[in-house]
Amino acid sequence: MKKAQIGYYRRSSRLKFDSSHSTLRLVEMASQFLRSTNSRYVAGVLAALGAGSAVYTLTPQQLQAKSEVDAATIKKIEEAYAKLNGPEGAKCKSLLKKHLTKEVVEKLKTKRTKVGATLYDCIRSGVYNLDAGVGVYAPDAEAYTLFAPLFDKIIEDYHGFSPKQKQPPVDLGEGKTKEFPPLDPKGKYIKSTRIRCGRSLKGYPFNPCLTQDNYLEMEGKVKKAFSEYSDKELKGKYYPLDGMGKDTQKQLIADHFLFKEGDRHLQYANACNFWPKGRGIFHNNDKTFLIWVNEEDHMRIISMQEGSDVGAVLDRLIKGVRGIEKQVPFSRDDRLGWLTFCPTNLGSTVRASVHIALPKLAARKDFIEICEKLNLQVRGIHGEHSDSVGGVYDISNKARLGLSEYQAVKQMYDGVKKLIEMEEKQK
């Protein structure tokens, strides 16, 4: 990333000024230029100050650093709080509603991150989607600390991870994959196994604060990393969404690889700007290793295959992650681990899952409760906010934060093993 500074992108523009201009006039002209741009995150105005060649850089962040959040945004935040706690939000059970107290609103409504993100950017999706389970997103890494009075409560509620706890050191599970032999060797219950993790590129904010240039730069960096894969099991091709041909599109849909714009939770989180620029899909030749570029997170790295061989799936994921990080540094926080757009994915970011049919156990009224006690999350086979199809569920580890990558996989493995044992005992 060119001229990266504390997590935001700076695009330099040289503007020549006569030395007779006063500093006040310079700032006024710079401010007018910045207000005329399409993006509030467009970077730097370069101008000559004083005599001849002295050059300084002004950025929107520097010009706005000490200014208050505008009155219109504060009003939106206050209206959002009123909506969540009024008749319209009566049925809302999100963690946002639970933890966005009046005290938190008053404390945070005038704050903004260095790239200009406000509390409203964090809560917007959950205010428009009252059926959300969580309802918040982090527009940039700084949001997790600046808006900690909200995020810390939600993180603790969801993950059971207190502000005093710290994410364990990285342990992807290298050398331990043999601990996960096939869960269902006869193929009676498990259709397929999938392990994925999220990664954010160091030096870039998250979707709401990214410019089109950011997206294109990031895409270029990860494409180069993909081209460096030397392992036969990982080699493949990158397919950009922008300009994708119909035949390619049909094939990726048939393979269930294609992601598309339209998820309302992401839309209202302001995560779909400049679509489809900078977005794409990489998959290996065997179609068992897949990477989504700039969908929800900067990268979603996925290993998968038919059957229940968790160890083989994890081994491939480890090789894929290690191959990329040699080329592209990732964003990691000492306390929260790998940083992601949604706080539910923080920490290890690992979601290990199986598509599984448990007809007898799933018929029980307490099926979801049984899974929750095993620290498992139940979804439909088409992902979050979807339903089961043909009695097949997507079941994964619930915890991401406060446990290592290896421990996250083990949580799913042990929990699903127990579910299969219970299924076989049902009458």
Side-chain angles (χ1 to χ4, degrees):
M1 176 172 143
K2 297 178 181 177
K3 301 185 180 179
Q5 301 245 340
I6 53 174
Y8 62 87
Y9 176 77
R10 306 177 61 196
R11 186 173 60 208
S12 298
S13 301
R14 293 187 176 273
L15 301 181
K16 299 296 184 182
F17 289 94
D18 190 272
S19 60
S20 63
H21 281 293
S22 67
T23 302
L24 182 63
R25 176 59 181 152
L26 174 63
V27 172
E28 179 185 349
M29 293 177 70
S31 298
Q32 290 173 350
F33 169 76
L34 291 165
R35 287 195 296 269
S36 72
T37 61
N38 290 329
S39 173
R40 58 180 169 153
Y41 309 107
V42 169
V45 179
L46 296 180
L49 293 176
S53 61
V55 177
Y56 298 81
T57 302
L58 297 174
T59 69
Q61 290 73 33
Q62 291 167 332
L63 291 170
Q64 298 175 0
K66 295 182 180 179
S67 64
E68 294 288 324
V69 174
D70 62 275
T73 300
I74 291 175
K75 184 180 179 182
K76 287 179 181 178
I77 294 168
E78 292 171 341
E79 289 174 345
Y81 173 78
K83 178 180 178 180
L84 288 169
N85 293 279
E88 196 174 349
K91 294 183 179 180
C92 178
K93 296 180 181 179
S94 69
L95 296 183
L96 168 64
K97 179 181 177 179
K98 181 178 178 180
H99 296 294
L100 187 72
T101 63
K102 187 66 175 174
E103 181 184 6
V104 168
V105 169
E106 292 304 314
K107 190 172 184 178
L108 301 181
K109 68 182 182 181
T110 60
K111 295 181 180 291
R112 96 164 112 216
T113 67
K114 291 180 180 68
V115 295
T118 69
L119 178 62
Y120 188 66
D121 293 306
C122 302
I123 68 174
R124 189 173 184 265
S125 181
V127 172
Y128 280 93
N129 296 290
L130 295 174
D131 60 342
V134 178
V136 295
Y137 290 92
D140 62 15
E142 188 190 354
Y144 283 116
T145 52
L146 187 65
F147 303 114
L150 176 61
F151 277 106
D152 281 355
K153 290 291 186 183
I154 289 174
I155 288 169
E156 185 168 13
D157 201 329
Y158 185 87
H159 294 281
F161 186 85
S162 79
K164 294 181 180 180
Q165 287 181 275
K166 187 176 179 179
Q167 174 67 10
V170 176
D171 178 6
L172 297 182
E174 287 158 305
K176 303 177 187 178
T177 58
K178 290 182 180 179
E179 295 178 19
F180 303 121
L183 272 166
D184 177 26
K186 294 181 181 179
K188 290 174 63 179
Y189 308 106
I190 295 176
K191 312 299 180 186
S192 61
T193 302
R194 181 176 180 264
I195 306 174
R196 61 89 164 153
C197 63
R199 289 292 186 271
S200 300
L201 274 61
K202 191 174 182 179
Y204 292 87
F206 304 140
N207 279 308
C209 301
L210 290 169
T211 67
Q212 181 169 301
D213 286 340
N214 290 158
Y215 279 113
L216 296 175
E217 263 193 16
M218 292 160 67
E219 182 184 42
K221 288 183 177 184
V222 298
K223 279 173 64 179
K224 184 177 184 302
F226 302 155
S227 70
E228 298 292 327
Y229 276 139
S230 57
D231 193 300
K232 270 183 77 175
E233 195 177 13
L234 300 176
K235 284 187 175 182
K237 184 178 179 180
Y238 178 74
Y239 301 87
L241 263 62
D242 191 20
M244 182 179 286
K246 288 184 178 180
D247 289 343
T248 300
Q249 188 179 57
K250 286 179 181 178
Q251 184 59 57
L252 289 172
I253 290 172
D255 291 331
H256 304 287
F257 288 172
L258 189 66
F259 65 83
K260 59 182 180 179
E261 183 183 17
D263 180 277
R264 58 188 169 90
H265 298 268
L266 294 178
Q267 289 275 12
Y268 281 109
N270 203 23
C272 302
N273 297 326
F274 314 109
W275 197 280
K277 300 293 183 183
R279 275 87 170 182
I281 295 164
F282 171 89
H283 71 71
N284 65 348
N285 296 328
D286 294 332
K287 298 183 179 180
T288 56
F289 182 70
L290 172 69
I291 299 174
W292 289 356
V293 177
N294 286 324
E295 185 245 4
E296 178 176 326
D297 288 313
H298 296 167
M299 300 180 75
R300 283 285 178 89
I301 307 168
I302 305 162
S303 178
M304 60 199 171
Q305 66 187 49
E306 296 297 312
S308 63
D309 193 342
V310 176
V313 174
L314 178 58
D315 188 64
R316 188 184 307 113
L317 181 75
I318 293 169
K319 289 190 290 186
V321 170
R322 292 302 192 197
I324 296 168
E325 68 182 4
K326 288 179 183 177
Q327 308 291 329
V328 185
F330 298 136
S331 180
R332 184 176 171 85
D333 180 79
D334 283 343
R335 188 177 82 83
L336 296 175
W338 303 113
L339 294 176
T340 55
F341 185 37
C342 181
T344 65
N345 293 319
L346 287 167
S348 69
T349 76
V350 166
R351 185 173 185 275
S353 66
V354 293
H355 278 186
I356 186 169
L358 300 165
K360 296 176 183 177
L361 194 61
R364 288 177 48 165
K365 291 181 179 179
D366 61 347
F367 174 59
I368 301 299
E369 185 181 339
I370 290 169
C371 291
E372 288 177 348
K373 286 180 179 178
L374 293 169
N375 295 310
L376 298 175
Q377 185 179 49
V378 182
R379 297 179 177 180
I381 62 170
H382 297 299
E384 195 171 10
H385 314 299
S386 70
D387 297 319
S388 170
V389 176
V392 178
Y393 291 88
D394 181 298
I395 297 182
S396 68
N397 57 296
K398 182 181 180 183
R400 320 267 193 271
L401 184 58
L403 73 176
S404 71
E405 295 81 359
Y406 162 78
Q407 290 170 332
V409 176
K410 188 172 179 7
Q411 186 179 90
M412 181 281 287
Y413 188 92
D414 292 345
V416 171
K417 185 177 181 180
K418 181 65 176 177
L419 290 180
I420 292 174
E421 290 173 0
M422 291 179 70
E423 174 71 18
E424 292 180 337
K425 290 178 183 178
Q426 296 296 306
K427 294 180 181 180

